[in-house]
Amino acid sequence: MEKQHSEDFLARPTPEQLAWQDKELGLFCHFGINTFCDQEWGEGKDSPKLFNPLQLDARQWVRTAKAAGFRYFILTAKHHDGFCLWPTSTTDYSVASSPWRNGSGDVVRECADACREEGIDFGIYLSPWDRHEPCYSDPQKYDDFYCRQLEELLTGYGPLVEIWFDGAGSEGREYDWRRIMDLVKQHQPGAMIFNMGAPTIRWVGNEDGLAPYPCWNTATTAKGSMFSEASLQWLPETPAWVPAECDVPIRKDRWFWHPNDEESLLSLDQLMDIYYRSVGHGATLLLNVSPDNRGLLPEADVKRLLEFGEGIRRRFDHPLTEASGSGHRIELELPVPALIDHVVLMEDIAYGERVRQYVLEAYADGEWKEIVHGIAIGHKKIDVVTPMFAEKIRLQITEAVANPIIRKFAIYGAQK
Ligand code: FUL
């Protein structure tokens, strides 16, 4: 039963982390010079003249995100090739040197505006590794350059929900993280900081969109990239509460768009599996889409995203019954005996993660039967239950480090 720990030992999220964890679904968007070169990692030598998305419509990207139930949107303002999607003053390797809108366009602005209009949060990815910028080889000069780029983005595009620092290509390289963190704190104090410096959220450690179970919200370290097993050195001021984000592209292993590549689009079943193993394990899912060389999300990807949103809504929008409460046992009686197929549990993580073991039991034909045994709940745990008729469901928390506070205990049976 309850261990004799004081609650004071429990790590807790900041209000910003709490709000971010409630978003659960983010859409990642990889778009840039690679989109026009059939490649994933440009070397920074492709001419800006190649960048010409004649039908670019960021509203189509963001409207799709919103309609599919995503609550934030993150754009690659600069990927490893160094090409900037905004007219930066730091380099001429940007949209300003492209034929697109005669060099007067700004993809970051279009996305920021579209997010504001649609009412979803906007964030940016700014690759530290830069294969174009000549001063990259001089760490001090490059820190200055990178900070200027970051400052333009932090100050020019309204509130940002998240800054995505990618470790790829930077294995073994030191950046001035304290200075970078200070900039974020100064200009966007509410933004989540992904995985580097003094992060407020961490990388789950793979690019498959999968969180382990349990996926505790506390961590003192995380992997920095797919290309090294080494853990990152985080600054000592990193909070103890660092929830995980699971990134994965909707086209298998493809972050950018490639021609004639529709067979790599994940199926709805694959996406639902990812959902169960990311959001369903208490983490946040960041699903990547790739606008094509017209500047539009391909129709097939739009359709799949909408199907995915619909799949989530169909399963979880209408509980048969639900409750909340504190203590070690909650019993729920179904209004009428019904077929159940999912149970959703949430702790009120504002008070920390308290549950260490739980059991779900179903009452049918005059007896209680154990249907699930779990070891963590955290922000959310989705249990998929072999469909069965039940009259009542009981949650028993058999081990906790402080009095459990259950924000949601909901039963579903909507599968058709
Ligand atoms: C990786 C990068 O190398 C990929 O190109 C992509 O940006 C992914 C999100 O992160 O580390």
Side-chain angles (χ1 to χ4, degrees):
M1 291 307 265
E2 203 151 308
K3 289 190 180 151
Q4 291 313 302
H5 293 172
S6 156
E7 294 172 19
D8 296 342
F9 284 103
L10 285 175
R12 287 160 204 230
T14 61
E16 290 81 15
Q17 287 175 315
L18 259 184
W20 180 85
Q21 287 188 263
D22 267 346
K23 298 188 193 305
E24 295 186 351
L25 289 175
L27 202 70
F28 212 175
C29 178
H30 275 61
F31 184 65
I33 199 79
N34 290 332
T35 308
F36 300 83
C37 305
D38 195 6
Q39 67 195 6
E40 285 287 303
W41 277 13
E43 293 178 9
K45 296 181 183 139
D46 299 303
S47 166
K49 303 280 174 258
L50 298 169
F51 186 88
N52 200 12
L54 289 171
Q55 299 175 53
L56 186 136
D57 182 7
R59 281 175 186 78
Q60 184 236 16
W61 313 349
V62 174
R63 259 200 316 268
T64 306
K66 177 74 188 260
F70 290 80
R71 299 187 188 91
Y72 66 99
F73 181 95
I74 297 187
L75 174 72
T76 51
K78 178 186 84 169
H79 202 250
H80 309 324
D81 48 65
F83 183 79
C84 297
L85 290 182
W86 79 105
T88 175
S89 66
T90 60
T91 173
D92 57 9
Y93 199 49
S94 83
V95 283
S97 306
S98 80
W100 178 59
R101 301 198 182 151
N102 296 318
S104 63
D106 182 343
V107 185
V108 180
R109 168 94 45 231
E110 308 249 330
C111 288
D113 289 351
C115 285
R116 202 164 310 116
E117 279 167 28
E118 288 296 328
I120 73 176
D121 289 325
F122 180 54
I124 50 132
Y125 164 118
L126 184 69
S127 173
W129 185 32
D130 189 320
R131 305 178 88 185
H132 174 84
E133 176 50 37
C135 80
Y136 186 76
S137 55
D138 178 335
Q140 264 180 10
K141 273 202 188 131
Y142 183 72
D143 280 338
D144 289 345
F145 173 87
Y146 186 79
C147 284
R148 279 193 288 133
Q149 293 198 326
L150 186 60
E151 196 158 18
E152 287 180 356
L153 293 168
L154 295 173
T155 56
Y157 297 92
L160 299 174
V161 69
E162 181 171 335
I163 319 296
W164 221 89
F165 295 109
D166 190 343
S170 292
E171 298 79 11
R173 168 78 177 237
E174 293 284 319
Y175 301 97
D176 189 347
W177 283 112
R178 182 147 286 118
R179 182 173 164 199
I180 297 169
M181 293 298 104
D182 284 349
L183 270 185
V184 178
K185 286 278 159 273
Q186 184 189 343
H187 298 298
Q188 297 282 345
M192 291 296 109
I193 297 167
F194 179 79
N195 217 44
M196 311 276 264
T200 54
I201 56 176
R202 72 183 196 270
W203 185 40
V204 78
N206 62 69
E207 292 183 341
D208 305 314
L210 305 180
Y213 180 73
C215 183
W216 304 111
N217 285 291
T218 46
T220 51
T221 178
K223 260 175 67 175
S225 91
M226 290 294 285
F227 313 101
S228 159
E229 282 306 310
S231 292
L232 290 169
Q233 291 289 319
W234 287 343
L235 295 173
E237 55 268 35
T238 302
W241 186 274
V242 206
E245 184 179 57
C246 306
D247 58 326
V248 57
I250 197 167
R251 294 192 179 209
K252 179 113 187 86
D253 299 331
R254 311 287 227 169
W255 295 94
F256 287 91
W257 177 80
H258 299 266
N260 309 315
D261 187 38
E262 277 188 12
E263 68 284 0
S264 66
L265 185 60
L266 299 189
S267 68
L268 180 57
D269 282 350
Q270 286 172 311
L271 289 177
M272 284 310 307
D273 185 53
I274 287 170
Y275 181 82
Y276 287 128
R277 294 161 74 184
S278 54
V279 175
H281 289 181
T284 298
L285 173 60
L286 183 63
L287 178 65
N288 184 72
V289 295
S290 327
D292 61 19
N293 58 354
R294 297 171 301 168
L296 295 172
L297 286 181
E299 289 69 12
D301 301 52
V302 170
K303 187 165 169 272
R304 188 55 39 82
L305 283 168
L306 297 177
E307 287 168 358
F308 180 45
E310 178 50 30
I312 296 169
R313 278 198 292 269
R314 182 164 59 77
R315 285 168 178 80
F316 300 113
D317 263 10
H318 304 289
L320 297 168
T321 180
E322 69 178 309
S324 57
S326 65
H328 289 78
R329 180 196 276 228
I330 304 179
E331 195 170 305
L332 274 180
E333 187 155 342
L334 296 170
V336 286
L339 197 66
I340 64 162
D341 56 19
H342 291 88
V343 178
V344 171
L345 293 167
M346 295 172 84
E347 281 187 77
D348 191 339
I349 53 172
Y351 301 94
E353 214 166 358
R354 299 176 167 206
V355 174
R356 297 291 179 272
Q357 299 268 356
Y358 73 88
V359 175
L360 284 169
E361 295 159 300
Y363 186 82
D365 303 326
E367 58 172 348
W368 286 101
K369 268 186 226 130
E370 180 173 317
I371 51 172
V372 172
H373 172 235
I375 43 181
I377 296 177
H379 170 69
K380 185 172 269 189
K381 174 74 193 307
I382 301 178
D383 285 308
V384 183
V385 177
T386 312
M388 64 175 292
F389 271 95
E391 297 162 40
K392 296 187 261 190
I393 305 288
R394 184 160 76 186
L395 166 67
Q396 300 223 60
I397 293 161
T398 50
E399 193 183 329
V401 291
N403 189 38
I405 306 178
I406 301 301
R407 174 177 165 189
K408 182 170 180 161
F409 169 28
I411 318 295
Y412 300 83
Q415 276 277 45
K416 286 175 198 110

